[in-house]
């Protein structure tokens, strides 16, 4: 099996204090996630960033009621400094909760021969859960380290981890 580490939405607009879509738990997981990132780099495990990059009038802001965040090209849409991608790391931009819909993710995974995905980042019960589902139905083995994903609400996060484990067959590392 060939593994990749996926870092999902660890962007300034989700992580920084006072950010428009601040998820404070992202700062709790940051040190652990940073070590995980460094370990992956040391072992030559590919690191792929999946990042919100919204248009200013994205339906997520009106229809779904989120405050405007991660608008493409703004500082808020950048990966936080602590986890900054290398020049050579793929950065996949998305405009929905999906990592695969209208993105190049699948092509990147196929080109690298990846069949096992470690999902990290934010939000546990939104993008992590939906990307886990998308990956599972495409035949990828999925691992979610509980210490490296962040929920907005702890109960929602716990639900999502159970859902992934019991319904999707994801390996949740606790
Ligand atoms: Zn978004």
């Amino acid at each position: 099996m060939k593994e990749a580490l996926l870092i999902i939405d660890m962007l300034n607009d989700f992580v920084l204090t006072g950010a428009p879509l601040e998820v404070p738990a992202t700062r709790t997981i940051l040190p652990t996630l940073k070590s995980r990132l460094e370990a992956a780099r040391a072992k030559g495990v590919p690191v792929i960033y999946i990042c919100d990059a919204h248009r200013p009038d994205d339906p997520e802001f009106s229809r779904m009621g989120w405050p405007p965040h991660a608008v493409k090209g703004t500082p808020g849409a950048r990966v936080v400094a602590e986890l900054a991608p290398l020049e050579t790391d793929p950065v996949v931009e998305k405009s929905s909760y999906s990592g695969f819909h209208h993105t190049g993710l699948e092509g990147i995974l196929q080109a690298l021969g990846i069949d096992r995905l470690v999902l990290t980042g934010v939000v546990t019960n939104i993008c992590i859960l939906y990307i886990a589902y998308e990956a599972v139905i495409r035949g990828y083995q999925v691992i979610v380290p509980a210490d490296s994903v962040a929920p907005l609400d702890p109960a929602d996060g716990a639900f999502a981890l159970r859902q992934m484990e019991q319904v999707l067959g994801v390996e949740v590392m606790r």
Side-chain angles (χ1 to χ4, degrees), residues 46-169:
V47 179
I48 301 171
Y49 292 80
I50 314 288
C51 303
D52 253 4
H54 290 296
R55 287 165 33 148
D57 62 349
D58 197 288
E60 243 191 49
F61 307 153
S62 46
R63 195 148 32 98
M64 297 180 190
W66 297 111
H69 62 274
V71 172
K72 188 175 165 67
T74 64
R78 274 190 221 126
V79 175
V80 288
E82 292 88 334
L83 305 174
L86 303 178
E87 278 289 309
T88 47
D89 293 332
V91 177
V92 174
E93 293 187 343
K94 65 180 177 65
S95 60
S96 71
Y97 304 147
S98 164
F100 288 86
H101 180 65
H102 292 169
T103 74
L105 179 59
E106 192 138 40
I108 291 167
L109 297 175
Q110 284 167 359
L112 293 170
I114 303 295
D115 47 14
R116 181 178 152 97
L117 305 179
V118 180
L119 304 185
T120 65
V122 64
V123 173
T124 314
N125 55 298
I126 310 177
C127 288
I128 306 294
L129 175 60
Y130 295 129
I131 292 172
Y133 172 65
E134 295 183 297
V136 165
I137 60 169
R138 284 169 173 77
Y140 294 98
Q141 187 182 336
V142 177
I143 293 98
V144 174
D147 63 11
S148 299
V149 289
L152 263 165
D153 173 271
D156 290 345
F159 162 78
L161 292 177
R162 277 200 313 276
Q163 186 81 355
M164 288 189 264
E165 202 164 36
Q166 296 171 4
V167 180
L168 298 180

